[in-house]
Amino acid sequence: MEIVPLLIALVFIINIGLAISVIFLERKDAPATWAWLMVLFFIPIAGFLLYLIFGKPLRGTRIFKWDKKSRLGVEKAVREQMRALEQNQFYFRQKELMEYKDLFYLHLRNDEAIFTQNNQVDIFTDGHDKFSALIKDMEQATDHIHLLYYIIRHDELGQRIAKTLIKKAKAGVEVRVLYDDMGSRMLRPKFVRRLRQAGVHVDSFFPPKIPKINFKINYRNHRKLVIIDGKIGYIGGFNIGDEYLGKSKKFGYWRDTHLRIEGDSVRNMQTRFILDWNQASKNRISYEKRFYDAIPKGDTGIQIVSSGPDSHWEQIKNGYIKMIMSAKEYIYLQTPYYIPDESLRDALRIAALSGVDVKIMIPNKPDHPFVYWATFSHIGDLLKAGAETYIYQKGFMHAKTIVVDGKIASVGTANIDVRSFRLNFEVNAFIYDIDIAQQLAKIFEKDMANSTQMPKSLYDKRSLGIRFKESISRLLSPIL
């Protein structure tokens, strides 16, 4: 009988130690600190286990290792571009975009994101169009296919992709497939074996060292990248699965945004893939010249910006804030989850209060209930400031897009939430091109026809039950 009080005392001491660690050693932001303290206080034993799995930070950990020569090449290019910007000697093909040189500089300094302006961009908003183009490009590959997705399923679309990859591997093309272990947790081993037997190199990101026990489960590679022969790159929100073709009864039509890029930015996408691949795989690859065979095409300016829990800076979030604060006319924002931290929430609120036309579009149905209700709890702040919120009704809104003044835009994998900014490994294309930005703005306006506006008067009439769900979800949002 004396054992029980001892166990209680031990749990209490462990919780006190963890609380001290959370407050004084790990230096989490205040909302996350309070959320974890509540978990430890209300569910001490389970909370301890949850913290070990979900709470341990990665900041300061060196995860991605560079080839020394390539690293020096990137550092040199970044220094040259920064110096040219500082001395007003940088040449912009679209002179109207000179006003955004601070954003170029931010990404150069914050993420070593080299700016290129000889790219051609095609925009996809429908899964059938995107995957038809992707499969066609992969079928024409002659040297290599590098594919990274957060989710890969073994359904009909997954089998179509696998069939193409197997065909190309048997034809002598180097094929590498990287998926996130958590995101693709339902992927059958048989599917992976079939790829490997055909000569496809397959690895997963952050797999558990002990089966079924993964202490890095909270840190996920949410990136979606495909690079073909070093010339063509794909980046955006679509994963590989039938639901992304609108075949899910639960979600219906899947509305997303994805880019197909040709030009020098493909080189920067390639570097991102190689860094991720070499972290995950024992069969490391070098930064060979054939992987960087991009052909300049078009005049769209792009920076490929990455962020993750290993970094001290929240690079993509900082880029979003800089874009928002530069807005003079309008901000169009599409995201499946809207759970901003205080800095981004303030930026949008200030923009709206300053007379900028702020419009945000979110889905009408949840794929993660807590995140859905947390999203609704946050839009009230925007409505009070005069922003407009649209609820997409045609299906599920999964796009991660922001457009400012019809001049600059960002499309990628990062949602407007704490998970994308601090816990996931993400990648976005920041686009400096009037034509592309205005195309994305027109797409947003077209989506408004399939949406209903949420007026403040209706928002204020939410039931007590909905408000309770929102309050609990908002409280937990820093650690969702």
Side-chain angles (χ1 to χ4, degrees), residues 98-119:
M98 183 66 181
E99 63 181 295
Y100 300 107
K101 68 175 185 178
D102 290 350
L103 182 59
F104 305 152
Y105 191 90
L106 170 69
H107 288 316
L108 281 168
R109 186 172 181 181
N110 206 20
D111 190 50
E112 296 183 329
I114 298 170
F115 176 62
T116 64
Q117 48 187 341
N118 48 13
N119 304 283

mmCIF file of all heavy atoms in Angstrom, residues 98-119:
data_model
loop_
_atom_site.group_PDB
_atom_site.id
_atom_site.type_symbol
_atom_site.label_atom_id
_atom_site.label_comp_id
_atom_site.label_asym_id
_atom_site.label_seq_id
_atom_site.Cartn_x
_atom_site.Cartn_y
_atom_site.Cartn_z
ATOM 1 N N MET A 98 10.605 46.439 -57.439
ATOM 2 C CA MET A 98 11.739 46.954 -56.684
ATOM 3 C C MET A 98 11.339 47.281 -55.242
ATOM 4 O O MET A 98 12.152 47.190 -54.320
ATOM 5 C CB MET A 98 12.295 48.204 -57.372
ATOM 6 C CG MET A 98 13.527 48.786 -56.699
ATOM 7 S SD MET A 98 14.943 47.669 -56.812
ATOM 8 C CE MET A 98 16.184 48.615 -55.927
ATOM 9 N N GLU A 99 10.069 47.632 -55.038
ATOM 10 C CA GLU A 99 9.610 47.991 -53.691
ATOM 11 C C GLU A 99 9.659 46.807 -52.728
ATOM 12 O O GLU A 99 9.563 47.002 -51.512
ATOM 13 C CB GLU A 99 8.189 48.536 -53.746
ATOM 14 C CG GLU A 99 7.145 47.545 -54.228
ATOM 15 C CD GLU A 99 5.749 48.133 -54.295
ATOM 16 O OE1 GLU A 99 5.201 48.484 -53.226
ATOM 17 O OE2 GLU A 99 5.206 48.259 -55.416
ATOM 18 N N TYR A 100 9.815 45.591 -53.264
ATOM 19 C CA TYR A 100 9.847 44.407 -52.407
ATOM 20 C C TYR A 100 11.264 43.897 -52.168
ATOM 21 O O TYR A 100 11.450 42.753 -51.779
ATOM 22 C CB TYR A 100 8.980 43.302 -53.010
ATOM 23 C CG TYR A 100 7.541 43.718 -53.163
ATOM 24 C CD1 TYR A 100 7.011 44.000 -54.425
ATOM 25 C CD2 TYR A 100 6.715 43.866 -52.052
ATOM 26 C CE1 TYR A 100 5.694 44.405 -54.578
ATOM 27 C CE2 TYR A 100 5.393 44.271 -52.192
ATOM 28 C CZ TYR A 100 4.887 44.540 -53.454
ATOM 29 O OH TYR A 100 3.581 44.946 -53.589
ATOM 30 N N LYS A 101 12.254 44.752 -52.394
ATOM 31 C CA LYS A 101 13.635 44.303 -52.210
ATOM 32 C C LYS A 101 13.904 43.903 -50.762
ATOM 33 O O LYS A 101 14.768 43.065 -50.502
ATOM 34 C CB LYS A 101 14.621 45.377 -52.671
ATOM 35 C CG LYS A 101 14.655 46.629 -51.826
ATOM 36 C CD LYS A 101 15.753 47.574 -52.318
ATOM 37 C CE LYS A 101 15.888 48.801 -51.408
ATOM 38 N NZ LYS A 101 16.979 49.686 -51.850
ATOM 39 N N ASP A 102 13.172 44.499 -49.810
ATOM 40 C CA ASP A 102 13.342 44.110 -48.411
ATOM 41 C C ASP A 102 12.919 42.659 -48.184
ATOM 42 O O ASP A 102 13.511 41.953 -47.356
ATOM 43 C CB ASP A 102 12.524 45.023 -47.496
ATOM 44 C CG ASP A 102 13.088 46.434 -47.424
ATOM 45 O OD1 ASP A 102 14.211 46.635 -47.936
ATOM 46 O OD2 ASP A 102 12.417 47.323 -46.886
ATOM 47 N N LEU A 103 11.886 42.213 -48.910
ATOM 48 C CA LEU A 103 11.454 40.822 -48.794
ATOM 49 C C LEU A 103 12.490 39.892 -49.403
ATOM 50 O O LEU A 103 12.791 38.833 -48.833
ATOM 51 C CB LEU A 103 10.097 40.638 -49.494
ATOM 52 C CG LEU A 103 9.468 39.244 -49.427
ATOM 53 C CD1 LEU A 103 9.230 38.815 -47.988
ATOM 54 C CD2 LEU A 103 8.159 39.208 -50.221
ATOM 55 N N PHE A 104 13.069 40.287 -50.571
ATOM 56 C CA PHE A 104 14.168 39.490 -51.148
ATOM 57 C C PHE A 104 15.281 39.344 -50.114
ATOM 58 O O PHE A 104 15.803 38.254 -49.860
ATOM 59 C CB PHE A 104 14.788 40.176 -52.380
ATOM 60 C CG PHE A 104 13.840 40.543 -53.481
ATOM 61 C CD1 PHE A 104 14.116 41.613 -54.315
ATOM 62 C CD2 PHE A 104 12.698 39.811 -53.715
ATOM 63 C CE1 PHE A 104 13.265 41.968 -55.348
ATOM 64 C CE2 PHE A 104 11.827 40.154 -54.746
ATOM 65 C CZ PHE A 104 12.117 41.234 -55.563
ATOM 66 N N TYR A 105 15.644 40.485 -49.521
ATOM 67 C CA TYR A 105 16.769 40.522 -48.591
ATOM 68 C C TYR A 105 16.487 39.662 -47.355
ATOM 69 O O TYR A 105 17.372 38.947 -46.867
ATOM 70 C CB TYR A 105 17.039 41.973 -48.181
ATOM 71 C CG TYR A 105 18.341 42.189 -47.432
ATOM 72 C CD1 TYR A 105 19.517 42.469 -48.122
ATOM 73 C CD2 TYR A 105 18.398 42.111 -46.039
ATOM 74 C CE1 TYR A 105 20.709 42.667 -47.451
ATOM 75 C CE2 TYR A 105 19.580 42.306 -45.355
ATOM 76 C CZ TYR A 105 20.734 42.593 -46.061
ATOM 77 O OH TYR A 105 21.919 42.778 -45.389
ATOM 78 N N LEU A 106 15.260 39.741 -46.859
ATOM 79 C CA LEU A 106 14.878 38.937 -45.687
ATOM 80 C C LEU A 106 15.125 37.463 -45.933
ATOM 81 O O LEU A 106 15.737 36.766 -45.103
ATOM 82 C CB LEU A 106 13.401 39.174 -45.357
ATOM 83 C CG LEU A 106 12.793 38.237 -44.305
ATOM 84 C CD1 LEU A 106 13.371 38.512 -42.922
ATOM 85 C CD2 LEU A 106 11.275 38.345 -44.293
ATOM 86 N N HIS A 107 14.657 36.953 -47.076
ATOM 87 C CA HIS A 107 14.805 35.523 -47.346
ATOM 88 C C HIS A 107 16.254 35.143 -47.640
ATOM 89 O O HIS A 107 16.674 34.021 -47.340
ATOM 90 C CB HIS A 107 13.902 35.119 -48.510
ATOM 91 C CG HIS A 107 12.443 35.100 -48.170
ATOM 92 N ND1 HIS A 107 11.962 34.557 -47.007
ATOM 93 C CD2 HIS A 107 11.357 35.570 -48.847
ATOM 94 C CE1 HIS A 107 10.643 34.674 -46.967
ATOM 95 N NE2 HIS A 107 10.259 35.292 -48.068
ATOM 96 N N LEU A 108 17.014 36.051 -48.226
ATOM 97 C CA LEU A 108 18.439 35.783 -48.431
ATOM 98 C C LEU A 108 19.150 35.628 -47.100
ATOM 99 O O LEU A 108 19.923 34.689 -46.898
ATOM 100 C CB LEU A 108 19.073 36.933 -49.223
ATOM 101 C CG LEU A 108 18.856 36.954 -50.737
ATOM 102 C CD1 LEU A 108 19.298 38.287 -51.311
ATOM 103 C CD2 LEU A 108 19.618 35.814 -51.411
ATOM 104 N N ARG A 109 18.872 36.554 -46.200
ATOM 105 C CA ARG A 109 19.568 36.558 -44.914
ATOM 106 C C ARG A 109 19.026 35.503 -43.961
ATOM 107 O O ARG A 109 19.781 34.900 -43.200
ATOM 108 C CB ARG A 109 19.431 37.944 -44.284
ATOM 109 C CG ARG A 109 20.235 38.111 -43.014
ATOM 110 C CD ARG A 109 20.216 39.546 -42.529
ATOM 111 N NE ARG A 109 21.000 39.699 -41.319
ATOM 112 C CZ ARG A 109 21.151 40.846 -40.666
ATOM 113 N NH1 ARG A 109 20.558 41.940 -41.124
ATOM 114 N NH2 ARG A 109 21.870 40.906 -39.566
ATOM 115 N N ASN A 110 17.725 35.274 -44.036
ATOM 116 C CA ASN A 110 17.049 34.400 -43.083
ATOM 117 C C ASN A 110 17.151 32.929 -43.458
ATOM 118 O O ASN A 110 17.149 32.056 -42.585
ATOM 119 C CB ASN A 110 15.571 34.809 -43.015
ATOM 120 C CG ASN A 110 14.918 34.463 -41.702
ATOM 121 O OD1 ASN A 110 15.586 34.255 -40.709
ATOM 122 N ND2 ASN A 110 13.608 34.404 -41.703
ATOM 123 N N ASP A 111 17.213 32.644 -44.773
ATOM 124 C CA ASP A 111 17.165 31.244 -45.207
ATOM 125 C C ASP A 111 18.135 30.936 -46.341
ATOM 126 O O ASP A 111 18.099 29.842 -46.890
ATOM 127 C CB ASP A 111 15.734 30.903 -45.653
ATOM 128 C CG ASP A 111 15.530 29.425 -45.886
ATOM 129 O OD1 ASP A 111 15.893 28.624 -45.012
ATOM 130 O OD2 ASP A 111 15.016 29.061 -46.969
ATOM 131 N N GLU A 112 18.993 31.894 -46.703
ATOM 132 C CA GLU A 112 19.899 31.696 -47.830
ATOM 133 C C GLU A 112 19.120 31.290 -49.086
ATOM 134 O O GLU A 112 19.545 30.441 -49.859
ATOM 135 C CB GLU A 112 20.974 30.659 -47.499
ATOM 136 C CG GLU A 112 21.895 31.101 -46.362
ATOM 137 C CD GLU A 112 23.007 30.110 -46.084
ATOM 138 O OE1 GLU A 112 22.792 28.890 -46.288
ATOM 139 O OE2 GLU A 112 24.090 30.546 -45.680
ATOM 140 N N ALA A 113 17.956 31.909 -49.252
ATOM 141 C CA ALA A 113 17.078 31.601 -50.384
ATOM 142 C C ALA A 113 17.478 32.461 -51.576
ATOM 143 O O ALA A 113 17.115 33.637 -51.669
ATOM 144 C CB ALA A 113 15.624 31.839 -50.008
ATOM 145 N N ILE A 114 18.232 31.872 -52.481
ATOM 146 C CA ILE A 114 18.720 32.600 -53.657
ATOM 147 C C ILE A 114 17.547 33.019 -54.537
ATOM 148 O O ILE A 114 16.630 32.233 -54.782
ATOM 149 C CB ILE A 114 19.704 31.722 -54.452
ATOM 150 C CG1 ILE A 114 20.926 31.382 -53.579
ATOM 151 C CG2 ILE A 114 20.136 32.412 -55.736
ATOM 152 C CD1 ILE A 114 21.822 30.336 -54.191
ATOM 153 N N PHE A 115 17.586 34.273 -54.989
ATOM 154 C CA PHE A 115 16.525 34.813 -55.834
ATOM 155 C C PHE A 115 16.871 34.577 -57.299
ATOM 156 O O PHE A 115 17.965 34.913 -57.759
ATOM 157 C CB PHE A 115 16.385 36.319 -55.560
ATOM 158 C CG PHE A 115 15.392 37.014 -56.448
ATOM 159 C CD1 PHE A 115 14.055 36.661 -56.432
ATOM 160 C CD2 PHE A 115 15.802 38.036 -57.294
ATOM 161 C CE1 PHE A 115 13.142 37.307 -57.243
ATOM 162 C CE2 PHE A 115 14.890 38.699 -58.114
ATOM 163 C CZ PHE A 115 13.553 38.331 -58.080
ATOM 164 N N THR A 116 15.949 33.961 -58.019
ATOM 165 C CA THR A 116 16.122 33.765 -59.459
ATOM 166 C C THR A 116 14.928 34.401 -60.171
ATOM 167 O O THR A 116 13.823 34.418 -59.644
ATOM 168 C CB THR A 116 16.200 32.272 -59.830
ATOM 169 O OG1 THR A 116 14.958 31.640 -59.514
ATOM 170 C CG2 THR A 116 17.322 31.580 -59.061
ATOM 171 N N GLN A 117 15.155 34.919 -61.373
ATOM 172 C CA GLN A 117 14.062 35.585 -62.090
ATOM 173 C C GLN A 117 14.005 35.188 -63.553
ATOM 174 O O GLN A 117 13.690 35.992 -64.425
ATOM 175 C CB GLN A 117 14.158 37.097 -61.925
ATOM 176 C CG GLN A 117 15.506 37.718 -62.155
ATOM 177 C CD GLN A 117 15.510 39.200 -61.798
ATOM 178 O OE1 GLN A 117 14.470 39.851 -61.713
ATOM 179 N NE2 GLN A 117 16.687 39.749 -61.593
ATOM 180 N N ASN A 118 14.330 33.921 -63.795
ATOM 181 C CA ASN A 118 14.202 33.393 -65.156
ATOM 182 C C ASN A 118 13.438 32.066 -65.105
ATOM 183 O O ASN A 118 13.922 31.030 -65.537
ATOM 184 C CB ASN A 118 15.572 33.215 -65.819
ATOM 185 C CG ASN A 118 16.555 32.503 -64.912
ATOM 186 O OD1 ASN A 118 16.180 31.928 -63.886
ATOM 187 N ND2 ASN A 118 17.821 32.535 -65.285
ATOM 188 N N ASN A 119 12.233 32.157 -64.532
ATOM 189 C CA ASN A 119 11.407 30.968 -64.346
ATOM 190 C C ASN A 119 10.068 31.105 -65.070
ATOM 191 O O ASN A 119 9.552 32.206 -65.258
ATOM 192 C CB ASN A 119 11.128 30.756 -62.852
ATOM 193 C CG ASN A 119 12.399 30.665 -62.036
ATOM 194 O OD1 ASN A 119 13.071 29.648 -62.024
ATOM 195 N ND2 ASN A 119 12.737 31.747 -61.337
#
